[in-house]
């Protein structure tokens, strides 16, 4: 089953300080998304020679603060991958004992956790698939 790495997300408390740090490491801003409704900013950075999106780091900044971030600086969010068929992938994972924490109710996005409790986001490649059962009515399990 083909799978493509997308990005690694980290939450940041101070977007300007974080951008300065990652740029100091040599990463460049590839794109930015401001979400007024969700009150957050996403900034995607990558090495200059990988501006096609490989090896992205997604900085997630919540405008109203993020007091939930642990003091020990473990702000890792998730790994993200596109898959050719979100439903087929989730079914295969379930058939192999993996809990689907956030089912692909929308035909677009699901979350699972690795055996080491790392959150993994799975995104449908291209357009979302039409909603279908059992996914459309499946509840979340745990957290992601």
């Amino acid at each position: 089953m083909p799978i493509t790495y997308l990005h690694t997300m980290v939450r940041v408390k101070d977007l300007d300080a974080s951008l300065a740090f990652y740029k100091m490491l040599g990463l460049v801003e590839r794109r930015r998304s401001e979400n007024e409704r969700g009150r957050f900013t996403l900034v995607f950075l990558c090495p200059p020679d990988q501006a096609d999106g490989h090896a992205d780091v997604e900085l997630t900044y919540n405008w109203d603060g993020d007091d939930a971030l642990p003091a020990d600086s473990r702000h890792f969010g998730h790994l993200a991958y596109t898959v050719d068929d979100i439903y087929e992938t989730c079914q295969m994972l379930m058939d192999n004992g993996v809990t689907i924490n956030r089912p692909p109710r929308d035909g677009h996005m699901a979350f699972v956790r690795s055996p080491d409790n790392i959150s993994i986001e799975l995104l449908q490649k291209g357009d979302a698939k039409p909603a279908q059962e059992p996914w459309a009515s499946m509840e979340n399990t745990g957290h992601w």
Side-chain angles (χ1 to χ4, degrees):
M1 216 176 269
I3 189 167
T4 304
Y5 172 78
L6 289 179
H7 62 262
T8 299
M9 182 274 268
V10 293
R11 293 190 191 283
V12 299
K13 287 186 178 183
D14 182 332
L15 183 57
D16 292 333
S18 294
L19 281 170
F21 172 78
Y22 287 100
K23 287 180 178 182
M24 185 171 38
L25 291 177
L27 300 183
V28 296
E29 185 172 329
R30 190 170 71 79
R31 68 183 167 97
R32 180 183 292 240
S33 172
E34 307 267 348
N35 188 305
E36 183 75 33
R37 182 173 174 212
R39 303 196 45 75
F40 64 86
T41 300
L42 305 178
V43 179
F44 293 84
L45 302 130
C46 66
D49 62 337
Q50 295 183 1
D52 59 356
H54 293 304
D56 271 358
V57 173
E58 171 194 319
L59 304 183
T60 298
Y61 174 70
N62 292 311
W63 299 354
D64 299 320
D66 202 338
D67 293 333
L69 289 178
D72 65 357
S73 300
R74 295 183 58 132
H75 302 163
F76 176 77
H78 61 263
L79 298 176
Y81 299 94
T82 59
V83 296
D84 286 339
D85 187 315
I86 191 88
Y87 296 136
E88 183 179 303
T89 300
C90 287
Q91 187 62 58
M92 180 273 300
L93 291 168
M94 271 184 33
D95 290 348
N96 284 281
V98 175
T99 299
I100 309 300
N101 299 100
R102 193 280 191 192
R105 289 183 294 274
D106 55 5
H108 175 69
M109 177 179 66
F111 274 89
V112 297
R113 286 190 172 265
S114 76
D116 296 305
N117 214 26
I118 300 298
S119 187
I120 309 294
E121 178 182 27
L122 302 172
L123 295 168
Q124 173 63 42
K125 184 186 278 183
D127 294 334
K129 293 186 153 292
Q132 72 180 46
E133 294 298 341
W135 312 108
S137 59
M138 192 178 286
E139 296 291 323
N140 293 342
T141 302
H143 63 279
W144 58 88

